[in-house]
Amino acid sequence: GAGVSQSPRYKVAKRGQDVALRCDPISGHVSLFWYQQALGQGPEFLTYFQNEAQLDKSGLPSDRFFAERPEGSVSTLKIQRTQQEDSAVYLCASSLDLGTRDEQFFGPGTRLTVL
Amino acid sequence: DQQVKQNSPSLSVQEGRISILNCDYTNSMFDYFLWYKKYPAEGPTFLISISSIKDKNEDGRFTVFLNKSAKHLSLHIVPSQPGDSAVYFCAASANTGNQFYFGTGTSLTVIP
C-alpha cells in the first residue's frame, strides 16, 4: 500500500473539543499539503510542508488550527475548540517534488462533523 | 474570491460520446494546471496536467486544452465510459506560490 493514508476516516466531535487528524504521506515525498473541503466545494488550501518545514500556513482559517510534521514524514492537523463551521472533509496530499510543480497524491480524507 | 471556476456543476453524456468539462481562471500568474477525478468517499485522483508552455496534452482518452489568452482550459474525454462517472476538479498553481487553487467541481454522469 504505497498511497497516502489518513486517520481517522470519520470523526464526530462536540463543539469545543480538540481533535487531531493524522496523515501518512507516500514514503520519500518531500511536499505535504493539507486541504479543507466543505460540502459542494473544491479543496481549499490550508498549509504546506517541505520536509519538516512549514513553509506556508496562509490558508489556516484561525489560530485554532495547527499543523506539524516534525520528522518530515507523518503530519498531524490539530483543531482546538472545534466549532460547527469546522465541519468538513480534511484532505492530505503529498508530492515527490517541491511546491506545486508536480502532481499531488491525495489521501481519502477525514470527515469531521462538529455537533 | 474564486480564482478557478467550474461553472457547470453537472454534466450528463451518453456512453461513447465526448465529454467536455470546462474551467476558467482569473490569475494570469497561473502556469501549471491539473485535472483530478474524485469518486465518493475517496480522495481526488490525478488525471492529467498541462503547463503553460503547451496548449494541449493528451493521455489516452483524456486530452486537456489550454487557452491562455482566454484563461480557459477544458478536459475532453473520448469515448466516455460509465466508469468515468465522477466529480472532476480542475486546479491551478503559480510557480511563485505553494498552493493549488481548485474549482468547485463538475459531476459527470456517463449514461450506458
Side-chain angles (χ1 to χ4, degrees), chain A residues 4-11 21-22 34-35 37 88-92 106-112, chain B residues 38 41-44:
Chain A
V4 178
S5 61
Q6 292 186 247
S7 59
R9 289 294 310 276
Y10 302 91
K11 176 70 179 177
L21 313 180
R22 178 187 168 108
W34 282 99
Y35 293 89
Q37 186 176 16
V89 174
Y90 290 85
L91 293 164
C92 173
F106 281 84
T110 295
R111 180 177 294 279
L112 173 65
Chain B
K38 186 181 183 305
E42 295 183 12

Side-chain angles (χ1 to χ4, degrees), chain B residues 37-96:
Chain B
K37 176 179 176 179
K38 186 181 183 305
Y39 293 117
E42 295 183 12
T45 302
F46 170 77
L47 207 51
I48 192 168
S49 65
I50 189 167
S51 76
S52 59
I53 61 172
K54 292 180 152 185
D55 54 19
K56 177 182 172 181
N57 190 24
E58 197 170 348
D59 184 2
R61 296 185 297 114
F62 303 92
T63 303
V64 55
F65 295 91
L66 176 62
N67 182 335
K68 290 184 289 294
S69 60
K71 295 192 180 69
H72 176 83
L73 65 156
S74 61
L75 174 68
H76 292 210
I77 307 173
V78 56
S80 301
Q81 299 174 353
D84 296 330
S85 298
V87 177
Y88 289 78
F89 292 97
C90 66
S93 68
N95 67 359
T96 53

Side-chain angles (χ1 to χ4, degrees), chain A residues 9 33 42 100-101 103-104 107, chain B residues 31-32 36 41 43 93 98 100:
Chain A
R9 289 294 310 276
F33 300 80
T100 58
R101 304 292 93 184
E103 65 170 284
Q104 298 181 349
Chain B
D31 63 349
Y32 185 57
Y36 281 87
S93 68
N98 294 311
F100 280 104

Side-chain angles (χ1 to χ4, degrees), chain B residues 1-22:
Chain B
D1 187 30
Q2 196 78 18
Q3 298 192 50
V4 177
K5 298 177 185 178
Q6 294 176 256
N7 292 318
S8 297
S10 62
L11 175 68
S12 289
V13 170
Q14 206 72 33
E15 181 178 4
R17 306 294 291 267
I18 184 170
S19 295
I20 301 176
L21 297 97
N22 293 303

